Amino acid sequence: MLGQNRDVNIVVGVTGGIAAYKTVHLVRLLTKGGHDVTVVPTADALRFVGLPTWEAISRHPVTTSVHEDVARVRHVALGQAADLVIVAPATANSIAKITAGLADDLLGTTLLATEAPVLIAPAMHAEMWRNRATQANIATLRERGVHLVGPADGELAGGDSGPGRMSEPEEIFAAAQALLAPGDLAGVRVVVSAGGTREPIDPVRFLGNRSSGRQGAALAAEAAARGAEVTLVSANISGDVLADVRHPSIRVVGVGSAIQLAEVMKREAAESDVIVMAAAVADYRPVAVSERKLTKEGGGVPAIELIENEDVVAALASARRPGQLVVGFAAETPEDEAELLARARGKQQRKGVDLLVVNEVGWERGFESAENAVHILGPGGAVAATVSGSKRAVASAIWDAIGRER
């Protein structure tokens, strides 16, 4: 785990964004963990946080120049000696430079010279993050194996709001921890379902739900970061969510309806050690699907007869082999926490899952949100953990709970 190895060398690159002030706390977390941290700011970064601050917090001399400590070939040596390179904040400009392989300052040469994992924490205005050039650069970096944390969706400089806020230092620290620690899921085969199924009514309409798939995607990304071989069964997840799970160890299989999801999950479960059913599966589907769009011209309101879908997670739990672990999810709209837990315990018992993750949902919580708050029920319905925060942080807690049961 990060903090247990005092010989870890970490380079923290800081680029010219207002979020640089948050990186001071990140460096403090890393140094308090006992690590050798070298800060490499760009010239523009020093406009936001001065050189004396970086030197004081990292306990090392700090420079932006490739012309200092030439005898040690510092512009190459930093990258060669690094066990991890973090860039936080990573502005749109710095991401473009990293993608192009530019090396016009000490941070650029360090990134080119390193063979260590690279973790970047993007920070910029929402329009800049959504720009096609930035998204193309991000896609290229992911293909090269660069790791990303964030950006978060929230308040930005100048009062704007949207995607582009740099992740909090604790979340970046946790992502670094996952990269540096021995993978606790190394060699484990995992299948995660995510998103929401759609039950067709006609070629145009369907019965569905508001699940974005973000929590399931975060679970897949966290498992891969911990060393697992992951299959993500994606039920109608948007491209921007799937972009966050591009990883060499993640294979994505797309499905549409509950029947399709059940078929794929059963097939993938046969080869998996851990099954995580995070998808929101429709309870019912139309008995008959019209081959043509239903219209008002015929008069009257069409009656749609429904039939119950298979309980996929219960089927997976009943068919699990010895040593295989099944995790279910429940989204509830209770009157209070007591009802929430009572309903969750009832579902855990009926479905026969090893762990059950329950969260309260409503018009403005749970679905389509960057944050989540869950209870994780272990064997016998005992609350193994209660956690809230970003969906990646929640995913980390869920995998910690899974690890305790394996």
Side-chain angles (χ1 to χ4, degrees):
M1 299 293 288
L2 194 61
Q4 295 176 330
N5 182 349
R6 293 183 173 269
D7 296 322
V8 172
N9 296 310
I10 301 174
V11 173
V12 177
V14 187
T15 69
I18 187 64
Y21 80 92
K22 295 164 73 173
T23 310
V24 175
H25 183 47
L26 171 64
V27 173
R28 182 172 178 79
L29 289 172
L30 294 167
T31 56
K32 285 184 70 176
H35 300 293
D36 191 6
V37 181
T38 301
V39 178
V40 180
T42 64
D44 280 340
L46 295 181
R47 293 175 177 266
F48 295 93
V49 179
L51 187 146
T53 298
W54 297 122
E55 291 188 339
I57 205 75
S58 70
R59 305 165 196 165
H60 278 299
V62 172
T63 181
T64 65
S65 174
V66 297
H67 303 296
E68 294 187 18
D69 200 6
V70 174
R72 197 168 68 93
V73 198
R74 179 179 174 83
H75 69 287
V76 173
L78 280 175
Q80 290 175 329
D83 296 297
L84 174 66
V85 179
I86 303 171
V87 183
T91 62
N93 179 63
S94 65
I95 288 170
K97 291 176 67 175
I98 295 168
T99 306
L102 297 182
D104 57 352
D105 57 16
L106 186 58
L107 179 56
T109 59
T110 298
L111 286 162
L112 280 186
T114 194
E115 294 182 350
V118 175
L119 174 67
I120 69 172
M124 64 198 73
H125 279 277
E127 294 84 356
M128 299 173 74
W129 172 251
R130 289 192 292 257
N131 188 280
R132 291 172 63 185
T134 301
Q135 289 302 306
N137 289 334
I138 290 295
T140 298
L141 292 178
R142 282 195 171 107
E143 289 170 2
R144 294 175 185 170
V146 172
H147 303 272
L148 270 75
V149 55
D153 194 320
E155 186 175 352
L156 307 171
D160 297 335
S161 184
R165 180 183 176 89
M166 189 175 95
S167 296
E168 295 305 312
E170 291 81 5
E171 189 168 355
I172 302 171
F173 180 85
Q177 181 181 38
L179 289 172
L180 287 171
D184 59 338
L185 294 176
V188 177
R189 294 165 300 179
V190 170
V191 58
V192 180
S193 70
T197 63
R198 295 178 178 179
E199 310 307 312
I201 296 171
D202 62 22
V204 177
R205 305 175 182 88
F206 59 84
L207 299 176
N209 58 69
R210 292 171 49 214
S211 176
S212 66
R214 293 185 186 278
Q215 186 63 76
L219 283 157
E222 179 69 14
R226 295 183 180 211
E229 289 294 324
V230 183
T231 298
L232 175 63
V233 180
S234 165
N236 307 296
I237 300 179
S238 65
D240 63 322
V241 175
L242 287 178
D244 290 333
V245 294
R246 288 180 181 168
H247 189 285
S249 297
I250 299 178
R251 178 170 63 96
V252 179
V253 180
V255 297
S257 68
I259 290 176
Q260 292 169 345
L261 183 138
E263 179 183 351
V264 173
M265 285 299 295
K266 289 174 183 177
R267 183 185 72 217
E268 298 296 332
E271 301 297 328
S272 298
D273 303 303
V274 181
I275 302 165
V276 181
M277 270 293 296
V281 182
D283 291 324
Y284 305 96
R285 69 180 186 273
V287 171
V289 178
S290 174
E291 291 298 321
R292 301 183 65 185
K293 177 185 173 183
L294 300 176
T295 67
K296 293 186 287 186
E297 279 81 353
V301 178
I304 300 174
E305 184 182 357
L306 300 178
I307 187 173
E308 189 172 355
N309 279 321
E310 178 184 20
D311 190 328
V312 181
V313 70
L316 293 169
S318 66
R320 66 177 175 269
R321 64 178 185 274
Q324 194 175 48
L325 193 141
V326 180
V327 182
F329 275 67
E332 302 289 345
T333 56
E335 290 290 337
D336 53 31
E337 186 171 302
E339 183 187 348
L340 177 72
L341 292 174
R343 291 180 64 82
R345 289 179 175 120
K347 282 192 173 182
Q348 183 181 19
Q349 185 173 20
R350 289 195 307 274
K351 295 174 184 293
V353 296
D354 299 289
L355 288 89
L356 189 128
V357 181
V358 60
N359 66 323
E360 185 176 350
V361 297
W363 295 111
E364 297 181 356
R365 68 174 67 184
F367 291 132
E368 302 175 316
S369 170
E371 305 284 315
N372 206 354
V374 306
H375 296 291
I376 305 170
L377 303 189
V383 177
T386 298
V387 61
S388 62
S390 71
K391 290 190 173 177
R392 184 61 181 263
V394 170
S396 180
I398 292 170
W399 283 113
D400 287 345
I402 291 170
R404 290 192 290 271
E405 298 302 322
R406 293 191 69 246

